[in-house]
Amino acid sequence: MTLTPHDTELAYTPIPVEHRQEFFDQGFLLLRNVLTDDHRRALEAAMDRVYAEEIAAGRGSRDGTVHLLGFLTRDELFGELLTHGPVFRYMWGLAGWNIYTHHNHLDVTPPALEPEKPYWGWHQDGYRQNSDPETMDPNLPRPMFSLKVGYVISDLSETGRGATKVIPGGHLENSLARPDDTSVHNPDPEGTLEITANPGDCFIFDRRLWHSRSTNMSTVTRKMLFVGYTYRWIRNLDDMPIDKTSDWWANRSPVQRQLLGESTHTANHWGVNWDGFVDEDIPLRKELRERGLLDRSVPWLR
Ligand SMILES: O=C(O)CCC(=O)C(=O)O
Ligand SMILES: [Fe+2]
């Protein structure tokens, strides 16, 4: 699968301001048909291959679930996904040019073998990002810091297929009431939405959005690819070693290499050269600047 000129154009087309507002208000966006049928099928074939490799290596769980962190290096198509036109425009549009992927996962969730034990899966992403930078004012929303795209590869058009559940608009609340007893089954919080979607759709979410996995009670295996993007001055979460002698690395564009963590020196992760001035050669910044897409009125696009 090669990146067509059309994809590149789209990758560098600003997002509609209404979508940006919806993302700010709701904490997520559902984008329809971001993958063509052929592209989705090819991604699914790559996932099936990687799934088989993981199972063969004994890295599946008892029910056949695979949750593989740092999966991007496992296929050419996964590397290309980093700058996939219809979605990548949302990444720089919502987070800016100084970004990379700190975290990405491939998820295959077969139908549950038996009813799951009760669990409380509601969380914001980011672990200590929900504590360390906190102020003493519980009403001051936390910073976003990262966002994630979830590509829907299998058919999630009906509920009960293990889709992600979210609380639209809840991302600006720093806490979510927790039931007293989480060892028993509890109803989902008020306002819960299960993100049903068609194969080829994706959803983009702010890491502060309260969300939970759900149990796959259907007969359809759930397949998802998640790619998280964050600031280059935040450390990587996944251990994703990259063989710099591989064809996979050779095939990556300068922007993709930035997104995979490449930088010219340590201070460069902070967006600058050693003189403290912005580095105009950081690949994504350069790409946006040359296309006239930097925007002084949007802080992350300055
Ligand atoms: O698998 C899911 O539906 C949710 C996964 C999740 O919590 C995440 O991707 O941050
Ligand atoms: Fe999460």
Side-chain angles (χ1 to χ4, degrees):
M1 184 83 41
T2 52
L3 198 68
T4 65
H6 172 73
D7 277 336
T8 311
E9 277 320 303
L10 193 54
Y12 295 107
T13 303
I15 59 173
V17 282
E18 312 86 80
H19 286 194
R20 197 171 75 196
Q21 195 57 47
E22 185 180 337
F23 182 79
F24 290 165
D25 294 342
Q26 300 296 308
F28 79 105
L29 286 172
L30 176 60
L31 303 179
R32 300 288 189 184
N33 295 313
V34 295
L35 302 171
T36 62
D37 284 349
D38 282 354
H39 193 180
R40 190 209 59 77
R41 254 194 298 275
L43 285 167
E44 183 169 25
M47 282 184 84
D48 290 349
R49 176 184 55 75
V50 171
Y51 178 77
E53 289 166 5
E54 292 302 296
I55 294 293
R59 291 191 287 260
S61 55
R62 197 175 58 84
D63 62 359
T65 295
V66 165
H67 172 61
L68 175 64
L69 295 173
F71 76 97
L72 292 178
T73 53
R74 301 285 287 267
D75 198 277
E76 186 61 30
L77 285 179
F78 300 156
E80 287 298 312
L81 216 45
L82 274 170
T83 50
H84 181 54
V87 174
F88 185 53
R89 55 196 292 238
Y90 286 85
M91 299 302 115
W92 61 260
L94 297 168
W97 50 266
N98 200 34
I99 57 172
Y100 83 115
T101 181
H102 61 312
H103 174 51
N104 50 81
H105 44 105
L106 173 156
D107 289 274
V108 176
T109 317
L113 290 177
E114 57 207 34
E116 273 196 283
K117 286 209 281 290
Y119 63 92
W120 185 252
W122 291 92
H123 65 283
Q124 295 179 305
D125 284 345
Y127 304 107
R128 288 299 297 179
Q129 290 183 332
N130 299 303
S131 304
D132 293 342
E134 198 81 327
T135 71
M136 299 302 276
D137 177 357
N139 297 317
L140 197 64
R142 297 173 171 137
M144 177 173 78
F145 286 142
S146 78
L147 74 179
K148 207 184 230 180
V149 47
Y151 289 95
V152 178
I153 305 299
S154 62
D155 188 344
L156 289 181
S157 61
E158 288 175 30
T159 57
R161 293 185 172 179
T164 309
K165 292 179 173 179
V166 304
I167 303 176
H171 59 303
L172 302 178
E173 304 283 338
N174 291 345
S175 62
L176 177 69
R178 203 182 167 85
D180 294 333
D181 185 356
T182 53
S183 69
V184 299
H185 181 77
N186 286 286
D188 285 322
E190 202 182 314
T192 294
L193 171 76
E194 181 173 339
I195 305 188
T196 51
N198 300 316
D201 294 345
C202 81
F203 56 93
I204 292 169
F205 66 101
D206 179 321
R207 65 116 200 143
R208 299 170 298 179
L209 185 71
W210 289 92
H211 61 281
S212 174
R213 68 178 185 91
S214 72
T215 303
N216 186 356
M217 294 177 302
S218 74
T219 56
V220 184
T221 294
R222 175 198 187 227
K223 298 177 186 176
M224 293 288 301
L225 295 171
F226 287 94
V227 186
Y229 295 75
T230 196
Y231 295 106
R232 295 167 72 232
W233 38 266
I234 290 173
R235 297 181 76 108
N236 47 316
L237 177 56
D238 303 338
D239 183 20
M240 187 172 73
I242 296 177
D243 176 1
K244 297 281 168 75
T245 67
S246 63
D247 286 347
W248 187 88
W249 180 251
N251 290 340
R252 302 282 65 83
S253 68
V255 169
Q256 288 171 352
R257 288 181 179 192
Q258 169 188 329
L259 297 172
L260 290 161
E262 191 174 63
S263 71
T264 47
H265 52 78
T266 52
N268 194 259
H269 291 116
W270 297 72
V272 296
N273 275 315
W274 281 120
D275 60 9
F277 289 101
V278 168
D279 180 351
E280 297 293 345
D281 290 329
I282 292 174
L284 181 51
R285 178 177 174 86
K286 184 160 181 270
E287 200 70 54
L288 295 179
R289 182 170 39 80
E290 288 175 357
R291 294 167 184 270
L293 296 172
L294 296 178
D295 182 349
R296 300 280 323 160
S297 70
V298 179
W300 49 91
L301 289 174
R302 264 180 212 152

